[in-house]
C-alpha cells in the first residue's frame, strides 16, 4: 500500500472538468438500478443469458488479458465475458482520465489503484460517471458486505462525503498486512559476531549498537568499510525511525481526535537531531540521499550494511530466504519524548480497484462477478487459478486434501507461471488477501503448509509490529471544495519538508534554523491544510 494515499493531490485535466460540468448528476441515484439483465443472486452462472461487457485495466506487459486462464475459466463459470482495454501501467492514469474526459468509458474499471484517486472518485461519482454501489452491495456482494459488517472501518474508508461507495478496495488481512512499508532489518551475522543477544529497545541503545557496527569490524574483513545504517532517501526507514519519537507520518496524523502536522512538532525536531547525529558520526550512510536502490543492494551483497530497509532482508543481502531467518526484524524503540513504543500501521486497504461506470449494462451482475473474490475460495482461485496449471490435488498421509506443484512448476518458477495466469500479479486488485495455509502449494503432500521463512516472518511481525502498530491517519475522502483549497498547498509542503529533512540531517541547514523552518511552513498555509484534514477525520469518525 503506498504512503499518503489519503492525500488527494492529483487533479483533473481542464478537458475532464469541462466534460464533468456537462454531466447530469441527477442520474446518480437511479442509474445503478437501470439494467433489465436477470441476475442470479447465488451460485454460478451469474447470468443465464451470455453477457459481454468492457473492462479497462492496467497491463503489466506479461501476457494479453484475453489469454489469461483465470479470466477465461471464470467467464465460463459466470456466463460473463469481457472486451479488454489494457494500456501499460505507466500510461494507465493518463488513458483513464482521457476516457472520462471523452465520455468513452468502459463498463468496469479494474485494478486501477492509485490511478483512480480519491479526488477522482469524488468528482466522477458526484457527476454520475461512476455509479453508487452501496444499495446493491447487500444483495449482490454478500461477501464484501460481510467483511464490512465485521470491520466497519472498511465502509468508513470507502464511503465518499456524499455518502456513496463508488469504488471497491483490495482488503489485506495477511501476516504482513499490518506493515506500513517494508521494515528495517538487522544483519544477523554482525549481531552474532559482536555477541549481541538482545536487540536495542531505546534510541540510546540503538545508537550504541550502530557505533559498535562502525568500530568493531563485524564483517571481519579487517577494513573500516562497515555502514551501520543505510537507505535510499529514507524512503522506507523514515517512518520507522520517526516512530522512535512518537511520530507516524511526515504529514498529518491524528493524536486521539486532534489532527496535527508532524513536521512542525518538537518531536520531529528531536527526530532530525537524532538523525543528524547519526549522519555526522558516520553511522548513517553518507550516500543515503544520493544513491539508488541498486547501489544500496550492492553494499548489502558485499556484507557492508548493519541495518537496512527492504521488504525482506534477503532482497538486499542476496542471501536465500533460509539464510535470512538469521536477520531479525527491527524492534520498535522508545525515547525520552516517546516512552511508549509505537510504529506506523497499515490501513490494510487499497482503494479504487473496482468501479462501475454509467455505461454498464448490469451493475448487479458486475458486483456479483467481483464479489466472489472477496471470499476465501474465490480469492485463492484468482491467485492460483484452476487446477492443473500451477497446482494439482493430492492427499497426505492423514487423508487430507492438499495442493502440490503441478508438473513443471517449482518454487523458483511459480511466480513466472502465475504472471501469465491471472490479473492478480503486479496489480492491486479487488479481493480479500489473507493467509490461507490450507490452500498453500507444497513440494509434496506431506510437506508442511508453510516453510520456515514464512513462520519466521509471521512470528517477527506478531511480536514486533502488531502490538505497536497504529494507523497514522485513516483513509478519508475530501470534498471538492476541500481538495481545491489545499491542492497546491499539499504538494508544496511535501516538497519543502522532504528537502528540508535532507538538509537538516546532512548539516547543510543547521538545526539552529528550526524556528525559521517552522515560520516558512506557517507561511505556506499549513493551518488550512490541517483544518481540512481535521474536518475529514471528524467526518470519517462519525
Amino acid at each position: 500500500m503506498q504512503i499518503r494515499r489519503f492525500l488527494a493531490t492529483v487533479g483533473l485535466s481542464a478537458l475532464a472538468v469541462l466534460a464533468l460540468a456537462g454531466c447530469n448528476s441527477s442520474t446518480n441515484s437511479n442509474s445503478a438500478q437501470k439494467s433489465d439483465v436477470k441476475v442470479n443472486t447465488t451460485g454460478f452462472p451469474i447470468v443465464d443469458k451470455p453477457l459481454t461487457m468492457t473492462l479497462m485495466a492496467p497491463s503489466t506487459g506479461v501476457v494479453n488479458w484475453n489469454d489469461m486462464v483465470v479470466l477465461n475459466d471464470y467467464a465460463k463459470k459466470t456466463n460473463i465475458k469481457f472486451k479488454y482495454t489494457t494500456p501499460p501501467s505507466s500510461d494507465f492514469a493518463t488513458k483513464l482520465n482521457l476516457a472520462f474526459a471523452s465520455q468513452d468509458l468502459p463498463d468496469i474499471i479494474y485494478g486501477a489503484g492509485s490511478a483512480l484517486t480519491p479526488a477522482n472518485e469524488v468528482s466522477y461519482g458526484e457527476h454520475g460517471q461512476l455509479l453508487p454501489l452501496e444499495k446493491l452491495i447487500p444483495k449482490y456482494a454478500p461477501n464484501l458486505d460481510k467483511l464490512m459488517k465485521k470491520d466497519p472501518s472498511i465502509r468508513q474508508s470507502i464511503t465518499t462525503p456524499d455518502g456513496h461507495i463508488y469504488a471497491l478496495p483490495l482488503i489485506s488481512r495477511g501476516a504482513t498486512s499490518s506493515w506500513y512499508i517494508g521494515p528495517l532489518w538487522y544483519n544477523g551475522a554482525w549481531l552474532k559476531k559482536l555477541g549481541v543477544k538482545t536487540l536495542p529497545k531505546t534510541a540510546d541503545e540503538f545508537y550504541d549498537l550502530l557505533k559498535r557496527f562502525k568500530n568493531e569490524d563485524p564483517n571481519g574483513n579487517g577494513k573500516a568499510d562497515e555502514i551501520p545504517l543505510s537507505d535510499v532517501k529514507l524512503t522506507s526507514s523514515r517512518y520507522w525511525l520517526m516512530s522512535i519519537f512518537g511520530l507516524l507520518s511526515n504529514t498529518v496524523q491524528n493524536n486521539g481526535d486532534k489532527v496535527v502536522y508532524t513536521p512542525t512538532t518538537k518531536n520531529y525536531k528531536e527526530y532530525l537531531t537524532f538523525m543528524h547525529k547519526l549522519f555526522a558520526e558516520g553511522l548513517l550512510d553518507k550516500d543515503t540521499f544520493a544513491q539508488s536502490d541498486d547501489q544500496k543492494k550492492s553494499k548489502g551483497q558485499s556484507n557492508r550494511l548493519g541495518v537496512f530497509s527492504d521488504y525482506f532482508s534477503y532482497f538486499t543481502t542476496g542471501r536465500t530466504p533460509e539464510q535470512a531467518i538469521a536477520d531479525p526484524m527491527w524492534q520498535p524503540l522508545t525515547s525520552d519524548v516517546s516512552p511508549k513504543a509505537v510504529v506506523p500501521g497499515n490501513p490494510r486497504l487499497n482503494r479504487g480497484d473496482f468501479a462501475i461506470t454509467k455505461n454498464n449494462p448490469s451493475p448487479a451482475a458486475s458486483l456479483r462477478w467481483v464479489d466472489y473474490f472477496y471470499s476465501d475460495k474465490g480469492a485463492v482461485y484468482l491467485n492460483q487459478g484452476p487446477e492443473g496449471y500451477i497446482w494439482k490435488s493430492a492427499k497426505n498421509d492423514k487423508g487430507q486434501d492438499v495442493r502440490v506443484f503441478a508438473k513443471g512448476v517449482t518454487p523458483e518458477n511459480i511466480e513466472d507461471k502465475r504472471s501469465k495466469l491471472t490479473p492478480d500479479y503486479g496489480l492491486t486488485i479487488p479481493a480479500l488477501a489473507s493467509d490461507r495455509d490450507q490452500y498453500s502449494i507444497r513440494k509434496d503432500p506431506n510437506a508442511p503448509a508453510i516453510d520456515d521463512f514464512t513462520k519466521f516472518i509471521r512470528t517477527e511481525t506478531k511480536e514486533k509490529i502488531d502490538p505497536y502498530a497504529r494507523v497514522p491517519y485513516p483513509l478519508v475522502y475530501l470534498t471538492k471544495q476541500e481538495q481545491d483549497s489545499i491542492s497546491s498547498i499539499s504538494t508544496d509542503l511535501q516538497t519543502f519538508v522532504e528537502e528540508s529533512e535532507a538538509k537538516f540531517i546532512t548539516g547543510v541547514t543547521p538545526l539552529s534554523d528550526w524556528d525559521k523552518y517552522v515560520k516558512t511552513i506557517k507561511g505556506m498555509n499549513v493551518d488550512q491544510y490541517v483544518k481540512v484534514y481535521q474536518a475529514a477525520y471528524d467526518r470519517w469518525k462519525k
Side-chain angles (χ1 to χ4, degrees), residues 146-156 173 348:
K146 182 179 178 180
L147 292 171
M148 291 196 294
K149 287 178 178 177
K150 185 176 181 180
D151 182 357
S153 70
I154 298 174
R155 184 182 295 274
Q156 285 175 280
R173 294 296 183 266
R348 302 194 295 173

Side-chain angles (χ1 to χ4, degrees), residues 491-508:
T491 302
D492 293 343
L493 282 173
Q494 180 180 337
T495 300
F496 179 72
V497 166
E498 292 191 1
E499 288 179 352
S500 298
E501 176 192 50
K503 291 177 180 178
F504 277 126
I505 291 173
T506 59
V508 172

Side-chain angles (χ1 to χ4, degrees), residues 11 177 255 490:
S177 63
N255 294 337
S490 58

Side-chain angles (χ1 to χ4, degrees), residues 146-210:
K146 182 179 178 180
L147 292 171
M148 291 196 294
K149 287 178 178 177
K150 185 176 181 180
D151 182 357
S153 70
I154 298 174
R155 184 182 295 274
Q156 285 175 280
S157 299
I158 63 174
T159 300
T160 58
D162 62 2
H164 293 306
I165 295 174
Y166 294 113
L168 306 184
L170 166 67
I171 302 172
S172 299
R173 294 296 183 266
T176 62
S177 63
S178 60
W179 295 5
Y180 193 59
I181 198 168
L184 291 170
W185 303 93
Y186 286 100
N187 186 325
W190 288 19
L191 296 175
K192 184 177 181 180
K193 178 72 180 296
L194 299 182
V196 177
K197 296 182 179 179
T198 303
L199 295 179
K201 292 186 178 179
T202 69
D204 290 340
E205 291 174 359
F206 183 61
Y207 167 77
D208 290 340
L209 180 58
L210 294 182

Side-chain angles (χ1 to χ4, degrees), residues 6 41 114 131 164 174 185 205 243 246 254 266 284 425 450 481 491 528-529:
F6 59 85
T41 56
S114 59
L131 300 187
H164 293 306
W185 303 93
E205 291 174 359
S243 72
N254 61 288
K266 292 181 179 179
L284 174 63
Y425 181 87
I450 58 173
Q481 183 179 7
T491 302
Q528 171 64 18
Y529 184 81

Side-chain angles (χ1 to χ4, degrees), residues 179-342:
W179 295 5
Y180 193 59
I181 198 168
L184 291 170
W185 303 93
Y186 286 100
N187 186 325
W190 288 19
L191 296 175
K192 184 177 181 180
K193 178 72 180 296
L194 299 182
V196 177
K197 296 182 179 179
T198 303
L199 295 179
K201 292 186 178 179
T202 69
D204 290 340
E205 291 174 359
F206 183 61
Y207 167 77
D208 290 340
L209 180 58
L210 294 182
K211 286 185 66 176
R212 293 191 66 191
F213 282 167
K214 177 178 173 60
N215 298 324
E216 298 183 24
D217 192 27
N219 66 9
N221 66 359
K223 301 177 182 179
D225 62 348
E226 286 84 359
I227 300 171
L229 173 63
S230 186
D231 194 8
V232 178
K233 297 179 176 61
L234 297 181
T235 300
S236 297
S237 60
R238 171 187 296 117
Y239 304 98
W240 305 107
L241 296 168
M242 284 177 63
S243 72
I244 302 172
F245 305 95
L247 305 173
L248 303 173
S249 163
N250 66 337
T251 53
V252 293
Q253 71 181 53
N254 61 288
N255 294 337
D257 289 337
K258 183 179 180 182
V259 174
V260 298
Y261 187 70
T262 63
T264 57
T265 62
K266 292 181 179 179
N267 289 39
Y268 187 78
K269 184 180 180 182
E270 291 293 324
Y271 157 72
L272 293 177
T273 303
F274 181 74
M275 295 302 293
H276 172 67
K277 179 181 179 181
L278 298 187
F279 188 87
E281 297 185 16
L283 305 181
L284 174 63
D285 193 342
K286 62 181 177 59
D287 299 325
T288 290
F289 297 100
Q291 68 185 345
S292 67
D293 190 57
D294 286 341
Q295 289 172 318
K296 183 205 76 172
K297 283 179 166 56
S298 177
K299 295 172 182 178
Q301 291 164 15
S302 299
N303 196 24
R304 295 183 58 204
L305 302 183
V307 182
F308 49 90
S309 62
D310 216 325
Y311 196 79
F312 295 138
S313 68
Y314 68 88
F315 291 176
T316 288
T317 64
R319 301 169 186 150
T320 66
E322 291 75 14
Q323 293 170 328
I325 292 174
D327 298 330
M329 186 186 294
W330 184 77
Q331 170 73 41
L333 306 177
T334 62
S335 64
D336 291 342
V337 297
S338 182
K340 186 176 181 180
V342 62

Side-chain angles (χ1 to χ4, degrees), residues 95-113:
K95 298 292 186 183
L96 182 62
N97 276 338
L98 287 174
F100 277 108
S102 66
Q103 303 289 306
D104 185 17
L105 290 167
D107 299 325
I108 290 173
I109 300 166
Y110 182 92

Side-chain angles (χ1 to χ4, degrees), residues 125-143:
E126 288 182 348
H127 289 86
Q129 291 183 292
L130 296 179
L131 300 187
L133 306 176
E134 67 281 351
K135 291 183 179 180
L136 291 175
I137 286 174
K139 183 175 182 179
Y140 296 106
N143 293 311

